[in-house]
Amino acid sequence: MTSLRISLGYELEVRGRTREVERRTFENVIDQVVLGDRLGYDTAWFVEHHFTRGFSHSSAPDLVLAAISQRTERIHLGLGVVLLPFQSPIRTAERVATLDVLSNGRVEFGTGRGASPLEYQAFQRPFEQSRKIWEDCLEAVLAIWNADGEPITRSNEFFEIPDVAVYPRPTQVPHPPVWVASTSLEGYLAAAKHGYHLLGMTMLKGIDDVASDIARYKECLADHGFDPATRRIALMIPWHVAPTREEAIATAADPVLWYIRRQVNLVTPPDYYDARHATHKVLGQLAAGLPPDEAMATLREHLMVVVDDVEGSRKAVARIAEAGATDLILQAQVGGLAHDRVRDSIELFMGEVMR
């Protein structure tokens, strides 16, 4: 019904404080990706967050994806994203290349600078310089891979590469596809200037404003000599589909709103002042405090979340394609939703919504 590539996206939310709940969450997520591999999902994307109890325990996504790589055959493994400012480009290049080798060339390399002042404090990086540090780190990682095993040198306030050769080399030549995550128009345009693929979300702006930003991203690609038709644009959206809308809302309203309450306060990027972004951030915050039926109506109207039946999900998919996206990333495991319900939704989406 559509040319959209369909993927799975994970924050690794943990609702509960016991070690057993935490362990079982990882076990369930791996099982879901193995199912997604069999059903034909394109990529499994995992975020990187630190110090976000409950909301996201995905502090080492490359390790989770390494485990998944040994239990899957086809599905791509998305780092969505590696927070580049927090470690040496040497370590980033080594770990991502190792994952690419283990998976026989299935890595999608998503990058970002993060949005948490606490993370910058803990990793001893200046929050106000986040964009510059990210740009320098990304340039260094790509230089390592493009050197193809030859020594390179870089000197920077926050890292040193002292004429060393870095191994292993990625299986993909010269390196895995590069994606940039952003919630701002400024970030979209920064990605376009370098020809990078784009990872976005509708959680803050809603689908109409995101569509406007996507159009600007494509214009900027063309202005800088890149063919927009060759670049991918993925939107990550909390999504639950069930046989009826009533069942979907009864099952997923609480987990989705639990997630929203935490997400809207964590994803505002540094030095971001876009008025529309602020409006929708307030909208998300207000929705989180409304009764579930009103909250879901507000969030669903803007495609900030999709909680619906098969037909409603098909209409949402069509709106996302019309907005200019090439990829849809389903956050099916959202807010501690029961594992069996997540599996049901993953199967129903690919079996019925995309039929």
Side-chain angles (χ1 to χ4, degrees):
M1 61 166 288
T2 177
S3 59
L4 283 178
R5 296 178 178 91
I6 309 300
S7 298
L8 298 170
Y10 291 92
E11 299 269 13
L12 271 174
E13 302 101 311
V14 176
R15 291 189 73 172
R17 298 194 178 185
T18 69
R19 294 174 187 264
E20 174 57 22
V21 169
E22 191 171 43
R23 185 202 63 78
R24 191 165 60 247
T25 298
F26 280 78
E27 181 181 89
N28 290 345
V29 162
I30 291 173
D31 178 72
Q32 291 160 22
V33 177
V34 171
L35 173 63
D37 183 53
R38 178 170 61 80
L39 294 174
Y41 282 85
D42 185 85
T43 303
W45 290 95
F46 281 76
V47 307
E48 178 186 338
H49 287 303
H50 302 273
F51 324 120
T52 50
R53 186 180 66 192
F55 172 72
S56 175
H57 290 216
S58 185
S59 56
D62 57 330
L63 293 181
V64 179
L65 289 169
I68 289 171
S69 75
Q70 302 307 293
R71 294 187 53 186
T72 56
E73 297 179 356
R74 184 205 52 81
I75 196 166
H76 284 218
L77 309 176
L79 292 157
V81 296
V82 179
L83 299 179
L84 297 182
F86 301 152
Q87 68 177 355
S88 164
I90 294 173
R91 293 298 286 143
T92 298
E94 290 172 335
R95 294 178 74 92
V96 175
T98 298
L99 179 60
D100 205 45
V101 170
L102 289 173
S103 65
N104 195 26
R106 288 187 278 150
V107 169
E108 302 287 335
F109 178 48
T111 77
R113 54 184 171 139
S116 167
L118 178 58
E119 289 177 337
Y120 275 82
Q121 179 183 9
F123 291 110
Q124 300 181 29
R125 295 291 186 269
F127 192 49
E128 65 277 5
Q129 296 183 45
S130 61
R131 183 174 294 280
K132 180 66 164 61
I133 300 171
W134 166 73
E135 290 174 346
D136 291 345
C137 286
L138 179 54
E139 186 279 330
V141 170
L142 297 181
I144 289 170
W145 287 336
N146 287 323
D148 195 25
E150 295 298 318
I152 76 160
T153 300
R154 290 290 187 279
S155 183
N156 185 283
E157 179 182 358
F158 299 103
F159 61 83
E160 292 287 334
I161 307 177
D163 193 33
V164 293
V166 179
Y167 294 96
R169 291 167 291 180
T171 295
Q172 298 178 78
V173 179
H175 53 71
V178 179
W179 299 70
V180 172
S182 182
T183 58
S184 72
L185 176 58
E186 178 189 14
Y188 280 31
L189 299 182
K193 290 174 183 176
H194 295 281
Y196 298 141
H197 304 297
L198 184 64
L199 289 167
M201 60 193 307
T202 58
M203 179 66 64
L204 301 182
K205 288 189 168 186
I207 192 64
D208 292 337
D209 283 345
V210 168
S212 176
D213 288 352
I214 287 174
R216 293 284 304 279
Y217 165 78
K218 291 181 177 181
E219 291 172 2
C220 190
L221 281 171
D223 290 343
H224 286 81
F226 300 104
D227 180 0
T230 65
R231 296 309 189 264
R232 293 169 64 180
I233 302 160
L235 296 180
M236 188 158 109
I237 303 175
W239 202 299
H240 184 74
V241 58
T244 68
R245 180 177 299 172
E246 292 74 21
E247 180 181 342
I249 292 173
T251 299
D254 175 74
V256 165
L257 290 175
W258 181 93
Y259 172 79
I260 295 293
R261 293 184 189 109
R262 287 150 181 81
Q263 175 69 295
V264 294
N265 291 317
L266 287 172
V267 299
T268 306
D271 58 48
Y272 193 82
Y273 302 104
D274 184 272
R276 293 174 302 166
H277 175 279
T279 298
H280 286 287
K281 184 170 186 290
V282 170
L283 175 60
Q285 290 171 325
L286 290 174
L290 294 172
D293 55 344
E294 296 179 44
M296 295 311 302
T298 300
L299 294 166
R300 289 174 63 244
E301 177 186 355
H302 295 280
L303 284 196
M304 293 174 169
V305 304
V306 177
V307 179
D308 218 322
D309 57 15
V310 170
E311 185 56 34
S313 290
R314 286 176 178 161
K315 292 177 180 177
V317 168
R319 284 184 70 189
I320 291 162
E322 290 169 2
T326 62
D327 294 64
L328 168 61
I329 304 173
L330 304 182
Q331 283 182 266
Q333 189 268 339
V334 59
L337 191 62
H339 177 51
D340 58 341
R341 296 301 182 96
V342 176
R343 284 182 57 98
D344 290 346
S345 181
I346 289 171
E347 291 188 289
L348 187 60
F349 189 96
M350 198 58 82
E352 295 293 334
V353 176
M354 298 303 296
R355 189 173 64 180

